[in-house]
Amino acid sequence: GAVVSQHPSRVICKSGTSVKIECRSLDFQATTMFWYRQFPKQSLMLMATSNEGSKATYEQGVEKDKFLINHASLTLSTLTVTSAHPEDSSFYICSARVTGGGNSPLHFGNGTRLTVT
Amino acid sequence: QQQVKQSPQSLIVQKGGISIINCAYENTAFDYFPWYQQFPGKGPALLIAIRPDVSEKKEGRFTISFNKSAKQFSLHIMDSQPGDSATYFCAVPRSNDYKLSFGAGTTVTVRA
């Protein structure tokens, strides 16, 4: 149980284009999902919290107009990287909890490797 | 914001040996301390977690030891196997909300 699916697993795009990444909770409902970013050989950095039915909340320093988040249903959140540039190349990973509490496990998708050329 | 200090950055252990990774934190609002295992190109997978009403939790070859007064916890991998070669992250809920802050990661290499 508690499977989080992410799509696509890899994407290459040209500079200036936009890319959408999907995150689905397959066997549970998630009112909240989290988007992380990971550079090579580095830790996971929380970018934003996706809230079903309301606006996403962004971490300090993360541009909300560049990283658009939509939490359209209890099982789907999307991250759109707008006007992508090479410095946006990274590993993007979504996660969700089965329940909303701080003491419940956080489950991750398998990530999306974004390469901007 | 939460500061999570994880050490060592990397370690090499012989097959059958013990791997030990340490994590220290400043403050947290929630008593929940997980360890994640990540293989290259994959998302992190929850390995084991502890709620510090106990000082130790064991699942198979993996053990968490927790010292609440020192704000430290550690992961022990007993009888390390080549398949354990991965990067391990500790995580701590932030002091102002339940969102997780991650340690810098420890790359474990188990030599056959």
Side-chain angles (χ1 to χ4, degrees):
Chain A
V3 177
V4 177
S5 176
Q6 207 171 323
H7 179 80
S9 58
R10 290 178 176 271
V11 59
I12 300 173
C13 71
K14 293 188 176 182
S15 186
T17 62
S18 296
V19 173
K20 180 184 285 189
I21 302 169
E22 291 187 349
C23 179
R24 295 181 185 272
S25 54
L26 294 187
D27 51 359
F28 66 100
Q29 293 183 334
T31 56
T32 303
M33 293 184 177
F34 306 92
W35 287 94
Y36 285 81
R37 181 173 175 172
Q38 186 179 33
F39 290 107
K41 299 190 183 300
Q42 294 191 21
S43 187
L44 293 87
M45 298 303 296
L46 180 64
M47 297 175 63
T49 302
S50 173
N51 304 298
E52 190 269 336
S54 64
K55 290 183 179 180
T57 55
Y58 291 81
E59 295 299 302
Q60 190 174 6
V62 177
E63 298 176 60
K64 62 180 181 180
D65 294 330
K66 179 166 189 62
F67 299 100
L68 300 179
I69 291 174
N70 185 295
H71 198 138
S73 74
L74 288 172
T75 59
L76 173 64
S77 174
T78 61
L79 169 68
T80 301
V81 183
T82 64
S83 187
H85 289 94
E87 56 265 30
D88 299 323
S89 298
S90 188
F91 194 48
Y92 293 87
I93 319 171
C94 70
S95 63
R97 284 192 169 96
V98 176
T99 60
N103 292 347
S104 55
L106 191 64
H107 298 278
F108 286 85
N110 263 331
T112 297
R113 173 75 59 196
L114 171 63
T115 303
V116 185
T117 61
Chain B
Q1 283 295 342
Q2 180 64 264
Q3 282 269 20
V4 182
K5 294 184 179 180
Q6 183 176 341
S7 62
Q9 185 176 8
S10 63
L11 66 93
I12 299 173
V13 63
Q14 290 296 121
K15 180 181 176 182
I18 302 174
S19 305
I20 301 176
I21 307 170
N22 300 299
C23 204
Y25 64 97
E26 294 182 340
N27 294 293
T28 182
F30 292 89
D31 286 343
Y32 173 72
F33 301 91
W35 284 92
Y36 285 84
Q37 179 189 56
Q38 185 180 31
F39 294 104
K42 301 294 185 182
L46 179 64
L47 185 64
I48 185 172
I50 193 170
R51 293 183 172 83
D53 50 346
V54 295
S55 60
E56 185 174 286
K57 181 177 180 179
K58 183 176 181 179
E59 289 184 359
R61 296 184 293 107
F62 301 93
T63 300
I64 297 180
S65 297
F66 188 82
N67 185 332
K68 188 170 184 177
S69 61
K71 297 183 179 178
Q72 295 177 350
F73 59 110
S74 61
L75 175 69
H76 295 228
I77 307 174
M78 314 299 286
D79 187 26
S80 296
Q81 300 296 311
D84 297 331
S85 297
T87 300
Y88 295 81
F89 293 94
C90 64
V92 179
R94 303 195 300 200
S95 57
N96 60 338
D97 60 31
Y98 56 88
K99 300 173 188 178
L100 291 179
S101 289
F102 285 81
T106 298
T107 300
V108 174
T109 303
V110 182
R111 298 213 189 281

